[in-house]
Amino acid sequence: MGRAPCCEKMGLNRGPWTPEENQILVSFIHQHGHSNWRALPKQAGLLRCGKSCRLRWMNYLKPDIKRGNFTQAEEDAIINLHQILGNRWSAIAAKLPGRTDNEIKNVWHTHLKKRLEDNQPAKPKTSNKKKSTKPKSQSAPAKSKSTKTESELGSSSNPSFESLFSASPSASDEVSSETLTSHEDHSKEAQMDNKLREMITTTDQDSFSFINFGEDIDESFWNETLYSQDEENHASNLDEMQQEFQHLGSVGNEMIFDSEMDFWYDVLPRSGGEQDLLAGL
DNA sequence: AAACTGGGCAACCGCCTGTGC
DNA sequence: GGCACAGGCGGTTGCCCAGTT
């Protein structure tokens, strides 16, 4: 038996949503929730397929969605996350509260990809991280439509996320699903964060520094890998970090620190062994 | 002022994944 | 384990509109 179509195409509305349809969808979800998207349009009296309703809700009508231009910090975060995650827009969106994967995808294709193609710096090379919003038009230099594919972009510019982890001894190992942000000992967490930030921000400002934490701080813990463009700084900072961590206790996570954005990225395994970024900013 | 061009973005399409039976 | 289904995801499309010619 063939796969059932996602929706009945006959007699259903397509294209832009009308204000009336928006109102119907919003009021229905407020009253009944959205436990079953396929059944929702029929129950709500909408001539839309369930997928269309879900998309409309997730990308536009959901109350916590942040509208308006992306801030410089958000754009920088997208660029940095894209370096690690590639085109996994939903994972990137999870790091940016109020932003949808669709919106981030659009911003990437319309602004950020071009910025990188033009070799414009993704962020100022200053240690002062004061960010300011700016109109989108200023961040999108006029340029003809690119025909470059995503894979071409990814392979030419950045080391892939998988390649980063391929060198890590524990890349395919089981890693605790406990994130640092959910760790009970928040004071220890803050202390560690500050210590690491202090040290890692002295390394190459353009690189992601990566450290592979073990479940516990023991001898095997130091089988870690730190990536940077500056090998000497690597070694020295790695030594410093090892010394600092010896009295910070167990962590049980893999993390990436983006020194430019002051982000800690928790890295957790996906079902297929692929790594994922899950924790909050 | 009209035609043209290209950017921006909402929405669609089709595949993938997770889940229940 | 296999199948069907629903939700989720990324790639792509196509319309609208502002800027340019």
Side-chain angles (χ1 to χ4, degrees):
Chain A
M1 183 186 291
R3 185 184 182 85
C6 71
C7 63
E8 297 283 343
K9 291 198 165 56
M10 295 297 291
L12 294 183
N13 294 339
R14 300 184 64 205
W17 281 63
T18 66
E20 290 76 19
E21 287 176 315
N22 289 338
Q23 181 60 42
I24 292 170
L25 181 58
V26 169
S27 58
F28 182 87
I29 289 176
H30 281 162
Q31 289 176 23
H32 304 97
H34 50 75
S35 57
N36 187 338
W37 284 111
R38 181 162 291 201
L40 186 148
K42 185 174 285 188
Q43 295 168 354
L46 283 166
L47 289 172
R48 294 274 181 174
C49 73
K51 273 194 168 186
S52 182
C53 293
R54 177 189 162 273
L55 201 67
R56 184 63 175 170
W57 173 257
M58 295 295 189
N59 287 339
Y60 198 83
L61 298 174
K62 209 161 65 168
D64 57 349
I65 287 179
K66 192 190 296 180
R67 311 300 305 176
N69 293 346
F70 278 64
T71 65
Q72 185 66 50
E74 285 175 318
E75 291 186 353
D76 290 342
I78 293 169
I79 290 172
N80 290 332
L81 287 163
H82 188 269
Q83 286 184 312
I84 306 171
L85 289 166
N87 295 353
R88 287 166 54 196
W89 308 115
S90 61
I92 295 173
K95 303 289 182 186
L96 297 170
R99 299 299 189 180
T100 69
D101 55 350
N102 205 37
E103 198 175 12
I104 290 169
K105 184 166 55 180
N106 285 332
V107 168
W108 174 260
H109 287 302
T110 56
H111 294 113
L112 306 181
K113 192 167 75 173
K114 291 169 189 170
R115 183 201 285 182
L116 294 182
E117 285 176 0
D118 289 348
N119 289 326
Q120 289 185 351
K123 51 221 171 201
K125 299 270 183 185
T126 63
S127 57
N128 187 344
K129 294 193 178 58
K130 180 168 184 164
K131 309 288 183 185
S132 62
T133 57
K134 67 174 184 179
K136 285 185 178 178
S137 58
Q138 293 178 16
S139 61
K143 193 169 186 295
S144 61
K145 279 184 178 173
S146 170
T147 56
K148 235 178 194 178
T149 64
E150 288 299 323
S151 57
E152 286 169 330
L153 278 169
S155 61
S156 62
S157 56
N158 315 308
S160 69
F161 192 61
E162 288 73 16
S163 70
L164 279 176
F165 281 89
S166 63
S168 170
S170 65
S172 58
D173 293 346
E174 278 298 313
V175 180
S176 168
S177 61
E178 177 189 353
T179 65
L180 189 67
T181 52
S182 65
H183 201 286
E184 290 182 2
D185 189 347
H186 292 295
S187 62
K188 184 189 295 181
E189 170 190 328
Q191 181 188 8
M192 182 184 70
D193 191 283
N194 289 334
K195 291 278 185 187
L196 275 174
R197 184 168 303 172
E198 200 176 309
M199 288 182 288
I200 298 178
T201 49
T202 64
T203 66
D204 189 319
Q205 292 294 302
D206 271 341
S207 68
F208 281 88
S209 300
F210 171 71
I211 186 167
N212 175 21
F213 297 94
E215 288 291 332
D216 297 293
I217 302 293
D218 55 20
E219 290 167 2
S220 64
F221 170 76
W222 303 114
N223 293 326
E224 60 198 358
T225 311
L226 183 67
Y227 294 88
S228 169
Q229 294 167 354
D230 185 334
E231 295 297 334
E232 289 187 4
N233 280 348
H234 264 187
S236 62
N237 281 286
L238 186 57
D239 287 341
E240 289 175 14
M241 275 188 280
Q242 289 181 356
Q243 292 169 16
E244 289 293 334
F245 269 85
Q246 280 169 348
H247 61 270
L248 288 179
S250 69
V251 180
N253 281 301
E254 288 188 352
M255 300 186 70
I256 289 175
F257 182 74
D258 176 3
S259 57
E260 270 294 291
M261 295 304 299
D262 280 347
F263 285 161
W264 275 107
Y265 301 126
D266 285 5
V267 182
L268 301 171
R270 301 190 81 192
S271 55
E274 185 183 0
Q275 304 295 324
D276 199 2
L277 300 180
L278 294 177
L281 291 173

